[in-house]
Amino acid sequence: MDKINAILIDDEQSARNVLANLLERTNSNIKVLSSCSNLKEGVEQIKKLKPHVVFLDVQMPNYAGYEIVDFLDKIDFEIIFVTAYDQYAIKAFELNAIDYLVKPIDRKKLAMAINKLENQLIQKNIQVDYQNLLDQIRNSNPKKIVIPELGNRRIINLSDIIAIEADGAYSKLYLKDCNTVTTSKNLKYFEGVLPNDESFFRSHRAWIINLDYIEFLNKSALSITLANSSVTAKISRARISEFEQVFI
């Protein structure tokens, strides 16, 4: 996944240095954007930098780490509490923290906390993608589609899709940038989510084509050449008449 941006908040400089060093040695995917010595400074950096995660010391002068909720309208980042006292764990989970780490930090427990963090961020991205998909479906003129792609999610502009070919239980999307995306969704799925605006046409049991990319119809070969690509789609003899009515 992409870099996970982090902010460290701890009143002890040495503790921040140790944690930063452990993060670098444990997981190179974590990028420390800022290292702060108190909660108010940390809150300012959170608002400015919008991190994915904050490693937050619980016990600090003036303000305890869990008082962060009093300084922000919403917590739209993950929290991993760092504490010298195990009893703060309950407070951590009251704030829905990903995890808490007891000083001195154990590298294995840090790795486990980061693994939880990564899984949480992946799930959050999936939820965002599905919300985008729902918004597009509700929209009378959707412009994008969310594609499950070998464990990931990709948002694709509908206008970039040249054709979709059935590939067993999977489908291949041919895009105008010459890339090919493989997804576990079948053609029936795409028929259900693609807009009903005559841009896309089911030319064959194994093909859906974008009419905006039609270059040439070969009736004798039962094929359609698509522009901006090397793709030649199939068309069934029974669909030629309907195709000509729609396209011509």
Side-chain angles (χ1 to χ4, degrees), residues 29-133:
N29 209 33
I30 302 286
K31 180 180 180 181
V32 177
L33 300 180
S34 181
S35 180
C36 306
S37 61
N38 60 72
L39 187 60
K40 294 192 75 172
E41 178 190 352
V43 167
E44 291 176 2
Q45 291 299 301
I46 289 169
K47 291 178 178 178
K48 177 182 177 181
L49 301 175
K50 302 186 182 307
H52 297 109
V53 62
V54 173
F55 289 84
L56 181 59
D57 186 20
V58 176
Q59 195 173 46
M60 294 181 289
N62 298 322
Y63 299 102
Y66 55 77
E67 292 182 86
I68 193 170
V69 294
D70 298 328
F71 292 88
L72 296 165
D73 294 331
K74 65 176 181 177
I75 304 295
D76 54 0
F77 50 88
E78 306 300 335
I79 296 174
I80 295 178
F81 278 113
V82 182
T83 176
Y85 304 98
D86 200 25
Q87 67 264 30
Y88 285 112
I90 294 175
K91 179 64 72 174
F93 292 116
E94 284 178 357
L95 293 178
N96 294 321
I98 285 288
D99 209 340
Y100 75 99
L101 300 168
V102 177
K103 299 177 182 177
I105 297 172
D106 181 84
R107 186 171 175 180
K108 289 183 179 179
K109 291 184 178 180
L110 175 61
M112 291 172 63
I114 293 174
N115 186 59
K116 289 182 184 178
L117 170 65
E118 290 177 329
N119 289 336
Q120 178 67 17
L121 293 175
I122 289 171
Q123 289 301 315
K124 186 178 290 187
N125 286 336
I126 290 173
Q127 291 171 9
V128 170
D129 286 346
Y130 277 126
Q131 186 58 53
N132 286 335
L133 176 58

Side-chain angles (χ1 to χ4, degrees), residues 161-166 187-188 190-191 194 200-204 206-210 226 233:
I161 300 174
I162 293 175
I164 307 172
E165 180 186 12
L187 286 194
K188 186 175 181 180
F190 287 105
E191 280 192 305
L194 289 172
F200 291 90
F201 180 78
R202 183 74 178 262
S203 64
H204 186 271
W207 286 89
I208 295 175
I209 58 175
N210 188 337
L226 298 164

